[in-house]
Amino acid sequence: MNSRSYRFEAVKEAHLPLLAEILNNYVRNSTATFHTEILSAEDMREKVFFSNPIYGTFLIKDENEVAGYCSLMLWKKQQAYRHTAEVTIYLKPEFTAKGIGSAAVKYLENMAIQNDIRTLVAGCTAENTASIKMFEKNGFSQCAHFKKMGFKFGRLLDTVYLQKHFYEV
């Protein structure tokens, strides 16, 4: 078990180019995102800043180096989903498989609980077994498997959704 401690800092406007760089690695080289075109810093603005303060995006820092970023965001706009949020985590390649994803999940869970969010949802490409295993290790369970939902790199890809439920209303 990784005993390191990571810091989380709210994303600021100046971080947008770095976040685009992190996400664009996955756009170019993997199916971890269904984006197929490179994103600009401006594109990142709507992905990481939210009008409701119960949601947020955070840099993940290992020592003084940015390891990646994570977000707690709106699941759906309808009011009945008020107690559900989606989580995303993107790490620089050299920071994967080091326990940082689990640290980010715990950080986002604490934020969710403080904001009366009771269910977290995470979506992954079905072939992204490392992320699926990381979420399962942190108490998420698969709740949906959508067949042939995305087309990337000349292939139709499945999407898996996982969820973690904290407590009843």
Side-chain angles (χ1 to χ4, degrees), residues 87-145:
V87 298
T88 60
I89 303 166
Y90 287 101
L91 301 175
K92 291 179 177 177
E94 63 270 28
F95 288 99
T96 61
K98 296 182 180 209
I100 298 171
S102 290
V105 166
K106 286 175 185 30
Y107 182 83
L108 295 173
E109 284 178 1
N110 288 333
M111 183 180 173
I113 290 167
Q114 290 170 11
N115 287 289
D116 199 26
I117 293 169
R118 299 177 175 138
T119 301
L120 294 180
V121 177
C124 300
T125 309
E127 66 186 31
N128 187 353
T129 56
S131 289
I132 293 168
K133 286 178 185 174
M134 185 276 300
F135 281 112
E136 288 175 340
K137 182 177 106 178
N138 286 283
F140 285 68
S141 58
Q142 186 173 317
C143 59
H145 187 136

Side-chain angles (χ1 to χ4, degrees), residues 1 5-6 9 18 26 45 49-50 55-58 66-67 75 85 87 116-117 120 126 146:
M1 184 83 171
S5 124
Y6 303 98
E9 297 177 8
L18 176 59
Y26 292 96
R45 179 177 280 108
F49 293 127
F50 312 108
Y55 307 115
T57 302
F58 306 91
V66 174
W75 167 242
V87 298
D116 199 26
I117 293 169
L120 294 180
F146 297 106

Side-chain angles (χ1 to χ4, degrees), residues 45-57:
R45 179 177 280 108
E46 71 180 52
K47 295 182 71 53
V48 301
F49 293 127
F50 312 108
S51 59
N52 189 329
I54 69 171
Y55 307 115
T57 302

Side-chain angles (χ1 to χ4, degrees), residues 19 41 46 76 91 133 138 155 161 164 168:
L19 272 55
E46 71 180 52
K76 294 201 179 265
L91 301 175
K133 286 178 185 174
N138 286 283
R155 299 184 292 128
Y161 276 88
K164 183 172 184 177
E168 300 297 326

